[in-house]
Amino acid sequence: MFLFTCFLYIQKLLIVLSAIVLVAGAACPLDCSCRNRYVDCAGRRHVTIPDFSSLNVATDYDVLDMRDNNLTSLDNSSFTNAPFKKVYLSQNNLDDRDISAGAFEGLGNSVKYLDLSYNRIQHLPVALKQLDQIEDVDVSHNPILLASSFTTDIMRAMGDTIVSFTFGSDNLFTWPESLNHFVQLQRLHVDQLGIYLQILTPEAFHGFETTLQYLKIENTNLIAVPIGISKLRNLQELHFDNNPQVSDRGVLIQSFPLGDESPKLRVVSLDRDGLTKFPPVLKYLRALESLSLDGNALDFLSDASISGNVTASNLSLVDCSLDRIPGALSDLKYLTNLDLSQNDIRTIEQNDLRDLPKLHKLVIQNASLEYISNNAFENLPDLMNMNFKNTKLTQVPQALNTTYPCASTVDVSGNSLDCMCETLVWLKTKTDWCRDNGTPMTVIGTCDTIFSTIIHYIDTYIPKCPEYKELNNMPPYDHS
């Protein structure tokens, strides 16, 4: 009888243990993996939220990742004993009609971030009202059609704590005015709007004019930068990208916050917005540090002057249909980092960079570059990093010989580089000088003519070259 009782006890124990796997001393749900306070159940074909009744979530875990599963509903018990701080529920089949009003009760006093993107939600779930600590919500890429789907009482309930909000879909035809309840909002990300929503009213950002610091609006058919942005007095970053209907005339000076005596806007990106030139507003952005105009066909940039005192130190002009380094860049006196990748720039001529004395980093990768003048880097004392990956260069640029102090890193990988005595003796001499003077220069790349890296070739083969021996007075060229 005793043995039979022990057998039953062990059998029950095994059944319990089969539902829980121990990882690093903390229990983990079946068909999930757990590490570093993170419960990863993504892409495991779950149809329900795992049972956390046997876990001490509050002690052991912060994050629950349920992305890319087969969830279709959430009931009042879905998050029982599951006080996670971050919950990812994106890329499921959740319908707001199948999310019960008490579905988030177990998260009410804990969760700060909730991702509901890429589901089948048509109206904000009433359950959101339970989230007393919520700070960041993502409901983007759901089939939400109307502003009324952002129900006023739900938005008001979250308004006291929410600081970051992401929404948008190609079905949304009206702007949700209930955003004005987010009086603490610091970050707003709008990803897609309906095709017929082309203009935002001046009151679009009402309610958080003094709190918003980061704004990203992308993938829309808006025809102009919203004029309401001009009221965002503490805005530091503006990303208005992939809005191809905007064009030059849609970047209005009056749409930017300019009147403040203490300007805040530091970062601006206007990528793939149908622009053909530098927007005139840039010269009025007195705090501007970083500017990106990627993906615009800047037909009128090469010859047009960038008038005014543009303060940007970082400039990205990737994939801008440029066939040469624009002379207009000479007006950017504070420029330190320049990215001209994915353009049809074939040469860097002697004077192309001479008026950029503060240039620190130059990137021209995945481009048509095939020639660099031997004097292209003269009088650029701060130029430390160069990236010429995947271009059409066939030699390590001899212009490096004119850099003083020495550049720290030069990346020419992905090119068909000739490695021969007559083409690389100078580089051995230069790298030796750099090393001896405490400013070592690293050249990253491989030879096309021999199986070797550039550094290995100049260290191993160049000392054997007659040209190098003669230059350094080595036998059999010892002239002493």
Side-chain angles (χ1 to χ4, degrees), residues 74-106:
L74 299 173
D75 59 33
N76 290 354
S77 63
S78 292
F79 292 98
T80 300
N81 299 317
F84 290 98
K85 295 178 181 179
K86 288 186 177 182
V87 176
Y88 297 88
L89 297 172
S90 64
Q91 295 174 294
N92 280 282
N93 295 302
L94 291 171
D95 189 317
D96 56 282
R97 293 168 294 186
D98 296 317
I99 299 177
S100 69
F104 297 144
E105 183 177 355

Side-chain angles (χ1 to χ4, degrees), residues 104-150:
F104 297 144
E105 183 177 355
L107 301 170
N109 295 317
S110 64
V111 73
K112 295 181 181 297
Y113 174 79
L114 178 61
D115 182 3
L116 290 168
S117 62
Y118 293 95
N119 278 286
R120 297 182 179 180
I121 295 170
Q122 299 182 53
H123 300 82
L124 290 191
V126 176
L128 290 173
K129 295 169 67 174
Q130 297 179 307
L131 305 180
D132 297 332
Q133 304 297 319
I134 193 67
E135 296 179 357
D136 191 347
V137 173
D138 186 347
V139 292
S140 62
H141 299 282
N142 281 289
I144 299 176
L145 298 175
L146 302 172
S148 58
S149 298
F150 295 85

Side-chain angles (χ1 to χ4, degrees), residues 76 222 464:
N76 290 354
L222 294 175
K464 303 175 183 178

Side-chain angles (χ1 to χ4, degrees), residues 169-173 192-198 220-222:
S169 79
D170 56 7
N171 297 305
L172 185 60
F173 292 106
Q192 291 191 328
L193 292 172
I195 189 172
Y196 298 113
L197 185 50
Q198 298 184 321
T220 76
N221 278 307
L222 294 175

Side-chain angles (χ1 to χ4, degrees), residues 338-349:
L338 176 61
D339 192 342
L340 296 169
S341 300
Q342 298 179 40
N343 283 291
D344 197 30
I345 297 172
R346 297 181 180 275
T347 66
I348 303 178
E349 301 295 342

Side-chain angles (χ1 to χ4, degrees), residues 213-260:
Q213 299 176 20
Y214 176 99
L215 175 61
K216 184 172 187 175
I217 301 176
E218 60 179 337
N219 304 315
T220 76
N221 278 307
L222 294 175
I223 60 174
V225 177
I227 197 166
I229 292 176
S230 64
K231 301 179 181 181
L232 302 176
R233 296 197 294 272
N234 290 301
L235 189 66
Q236 297 182 22
E237 290 193 36
L238 172 62
H239 301 274
F240 191 75
D241 303 327
N242 202 28
N243 305 294
Q245 305 304 316
V246 173
S247 74
D248 297 320
R249 60 185 179 183
V251 184
L252 308 173
I253 293 176
Q254 56 266 41
S255 294
F256 290 76
L258 305 177
D260 199 328

Side-chain angles (χ1 to χ4, degrees), residues 147-162:
S148 58
S149 298
F150 295 85
T151 313
T152 297
D153 62 332
I154 298 175
M155 299 290 275
R156 184 187 296 116
M158 295 191 293
D160 289 338
T161 59
I162 202 85

